[in-house]
Amino acid sequence: MLSRGNPVIALQDIHVRYVKGPPWARTFHHALRGVDISVQAGQMLGLVGESGSGKSTIGRICIGLLRQTAGTALFDGQALFGVGQRLPGAIGAVLQHPEWSLDPLMTIGSSVEEPLKRIKGLGKAERHDRVADMLGKVGLRGEFMSRYPKELSGGQRQRASIARALITQPRFILFDEAVSALDVSIQAQILNLIGELQQSSRFAALFISHDIAAVRYVANDIAVLYAGEIAEQASARSFYEPMHHPYTRQLQRASGLFVDENP
Amino acid sequence: MIEIKQPIIEVRDLVVEYKSHPLPVRALDAVDFTASADETVGFVGESGSGKSTLAMALGGVSRSGVRPSRGSVQTFGRDVFALRGQDRRRFLSEDIGFVFQNPIGSLDPTRRIGHQFFTPDGQPLNEKRVEELLSSVGLEDTGRIMASFPHEVSGGMAQRVCIAMAISVNPPLLIADEPTAALDASVKTQILDLLTELRARARSTLILVSHDLHSVRKYCDRVCVMYGGRIVEAGPSRDVFDCPRHPYTAALLRSIPGFEGPGGRIEPIPGYPPSLNGQASNCTFAPRCALQIPVCRENRPPVSVEGDRTKCCWLPGNEIGMEISQAGRGYHA
């Protein structure tokens, strides 16, 4: 837990229980068990863990798509669930596959502009200027505005989806495995872009990934999630040394770090 | 070429081109490669560098059945692209094991796992042998797994099943094309540990295609770094990654997270991978290379050999002045 300033996102003692099966054969799965995390403006919190550890469940709570079973989830002091409807454009998300956020039938320009249409009081000319400006910031030249997703490379598409997430100047952005599907050489460009944009726009962010090497590069702090609980949380810098928690150490080895270390 | 005692695979001047309009795509451009028994060789590079094409060519397999336009592949002394009919079938089923990226997709979704094991003659394998194989890849509860359909087991288990199939005839060559790309981080190490252990036990050869440089450094004896359909650098994997001699290897290492120190910066490789349409008569990395000299853009670089390392570059000497930071990866620890 961090204690500087008012957090943009604050999750306190969050429990999530998924219910499966018909009423006569109910089974329960505890996806999260008492998770506490908070993210300040300008801070990037990394979240690592393997499949089924609850990473994406936390992500869904943080963008207001899932209501927790117990605990408090706040965005700027307000309830998080449904925040997307109440405050359009306050939260953005960049997902693993850019195709999930870009409509194949819409040009890149219209896809990036779409979230702005939900914000009242913006004229067509102003929207157009903002889109051109934002595409420039993510390194896509003006000509990309009229192109379709299929005409772009994987890296360019991910840039476009980042532009779409940032266009409304959100206070919080979720990056859910945002670089996992990209080629090795493209990952570096996108990680640097995310870092630069965060420096200039000062949004709060949650960076979810299974790759500890990528997370420690972009995040300020890292929380390690194991079986629905935070196993360890520390500054990203400390992850450049072998960590104490055995599970974190296992993740570090799985990312190819500290492989020569004697057990 | 690298000095090898008993080469079991010899690739000479191999050119593979895929049909495309107006010019064919040259996926492999005059590649020379050898591998011996009892070693693990890694192929690394960006998408489109030709690493999968080369790995598959070692077994005489290629996309749409394209045959090499030039050069030869001799695996266990046989010209693999010249094999036909029954000979080819036997060669593929007895001498080579393949492990692919998507384990669940590699299995037949309509059959229970226990009914998917066959002998090279196409006869179902007896149950006892299947059980043996499944336990040899570290699967417990073999009875349940044999009775399950592929979608009922996890990705890691399905990959173990695929490995069990690949080793069912004890092939002297195992080709694994991104075997862990679709798997979770902790399962990834288990699968790579398993492949390496099985390889060492059988003293066979393992070809590991991967874009995960950290794993290749850990698990492979040798590595071939590929770019634009050519092997630009090869040698013992730790030497290559700790002290790269080709500017592309150095640039690649500096562009992935994990090799930078705390507060350090990763540097993307500027520009884009080359278009492989047509034949390049120069160094394909030259437009992105910080150290390029005029000759790089004009002529194809020569392959130079020094000890167990080779590189394909015009720059003289071995010191390319690109020290890779040791701090971030903790290999020193």
Side-chain angles (χ1 to χ4, degrees), chain B:
Chain B
M1 272 314 297
I2 298 164
E3 189 196 335
I4 284 160
K5 287 160 205 150
Q6 315 158 287
I8 55 155
I9 302 171
E10 283 191 272
V11 177
R12 293 276 164 249
D13 193 30
L14 183 67
V15 175
V16 172
E17 289 176 320
Y18 294 121
K19 275 183 193 154
S20 172
H21 187 75
L23 290 167
V25 172
R26 193 169 265 228
L28 289 179
D29 189 4
V31 168
D32 286 319
F33 169 77
T34 53
S36 55
D38 200 9
E39 69 168 347
T40 305
V41 185
F43 291 164
V44 299
E46 297 168 65
S47 302
S49 60
K51 50 191 195 300
S52 293
T53 306
L54 177 56
M56 291 299 136
L58 303 181
V61 180
S62 61
R63 203 168 68 200
S64 337
V66 170
R67 296 172 56 73
S69 337
R70 207 173 77 198
S72 68
V73 182
Q74 299 268 337
T75 302
F76 308 124
R78 275 178 285 183
D79 182 350
V80 293
F81 281 99
L83 292 173
R84 285 283 174 276
Q86 190 66 21
D87 287 344
R88 183 163 189 269
R89 257 195 301 282
R90 288 207 83 84
F91 172 72
L92 285 177
S93 55
E94 289 177 12
D95 292 340
I96 303 186
F98 289 98
V99 180
F100 298 102
Q101 178 171 349
N102 180 352
I104 293 175
S106 314
L107 298 169
D108 183 343
T110 63
R111 281 166 180 263
R112 294 181 195 277
I113 287 171
H115 298 159
Q116 298 199 30
F117 285 73
F118 296 95
T119 63
D121 308 325
Q123 300 302 313
L125 215 56
N126 72 52
E127 231 171 74
K128 207 167 156 232
R129 174 79 179 129
V130 174
E131 259 189 70
E132 241 174 59
L133 283 167
L134 291 177
S135 18
S136 74
V137 295
L139 286 170
E140 290 160 11
D141 201 2
T142 48
R144 186 184 70 82
I145 289 170
M146 283 165 68
S148 306
F149 287 98
H151 71 268
E152 293 173 325
V153 299
S154 71
M157 281 183 188
Q159 192 60 297
R160 281 173 195 267
V161 171
C162 291
I163 293 172
M165 282 179 182
I167 61 163
S168 62
V169 286
N170 296 320
L173 172 63
L174 203 56
I175 298 175
D177 190 355
E178 301 271 12
T180 57
L183 302 177
D184 216 18
S186 55
V187 183
K188 183 174 90 178
T189 31
Q190 292 169 14
I191 294 293
L192 291 174
D193 282 338
L194 172 69
L195 279 171
T196 322
E197 188 201 315
L198 292 170
R199 188 211 65 72
R201 211 189 298 157
R203 299 178 64 80
S204 56
T205 306
L206 171 65
I207 302 291
L208 182 67
V209 178
S210 180
H211 61 261
D212 179 358
L213 303 184
H214 298 288
S215 298
V216 169
R217 184 186 181 279
K218 180 178 173 187
Y219 291 98
C220 296
D221 304 308
R222 287 197 300 128
V223 63
C224 296
V225 182
M226 299 198 62
Y227 185 80
R230 300 173 185 172
I231 296 178
V232 293
E233 183 169 5
S237 56
R238 295 201 171 197
D239 297 353
V240 169
F241 288 153
D242 293 351
C243 183
R245 291 181 180 173
H246 193 284
Y248 174 66
T249 314
L252 188 64
L253 289 169
R254 294 161 114 209
S255 76
I256 56 165
F259 288 103
E260 87 291 354
R265 205 178 140 77
I266 52 175
E267 290 163 36
I269 307 174
Y272 297 96
S275 153
L276 299 176
N277 294 77
Q279 191 178 348
S281 58
N282 54 2
C283 172
T284 43
F285 185 59
R288 307 171 79 183
C289 182
L291 303 173
Q292 56 158 307
I293 46 179
V295 67
C296 303
R297 283 178 178 266
E298 286 154 20
N299 292 315
R300 189 180 168 126
V303 176
S304 54
V305 186
E306 196 185 310
D308 49 7
R309 296 187 63 173
T310 60
K311 74 165 179 172
C312 177
C313 183
W314 277 110
L315 292 174
N318 292 326
E319 297 311 317
I320 51 169
M322 286 198 178
E323 285 292 305
I324 301 301
S325 157
Q326 298 282 331
R329 49 190 157 165
Y331 290 151
H332 60 290

Side-chain angles (χ1 to χ4, degrees), chain A residues 21-76:
Chain A
W24 57 89
R26 276 273 142 90
T27 54
F28 298 99
H29 171 61
H30 267 96
L32 294 180
R33 305 157 187 265
V35 167
D36 286 301
I37 53 171
S38 67
V39 195
Q40 263 79 19
Q43 188 204 359
M44 170 114 44
L45 177 68
L47 195 59
V48 293
E50 56 192 330
S51 304
S53 60
K55 297 191 303 277
S56 295
T57 302
I58 292 190
R60 290 175 67 198
I61 289 181
C62 286
I63 55 175
L65 288 179
L66 179 75
R67 199 199 297 265
Q68 65 278 16
T69 315
T72 334
L74 301 173
F75 171 77
D76 268 341

Side-chain angles (χ1 to χ4, degrees), chain A residues 173-226:
Chain A
I173 300 187
L174 169 73
F175 294 94
D176 193 353
E177 301 279 7
V179 295
S180 309
L182 300 175
D183 201 20
V184 271
S185 57
I186 313 292
Q187 270 195 23
Q189 296 173 13
I190 300 296
L191 287 171
N192 282 345
L193 173 69
I194 291 172
E196 283 155 19
L197 290 170
Q198 209 217 1
Q199 289 273 313
S200 56
S201 309
R202 308 287 301 155
F203 50 81
L206 186 67
F207 191 94
I208 297 179
S209 176
H210 63 269
D211 181 2
I212 222 165
V215 175
R216 73 176 186 183
Y217 179 67
V218 287
N220 311 107
D221 292 274
I222 300 177
V224 180
L225 201 60
Y226 179 65

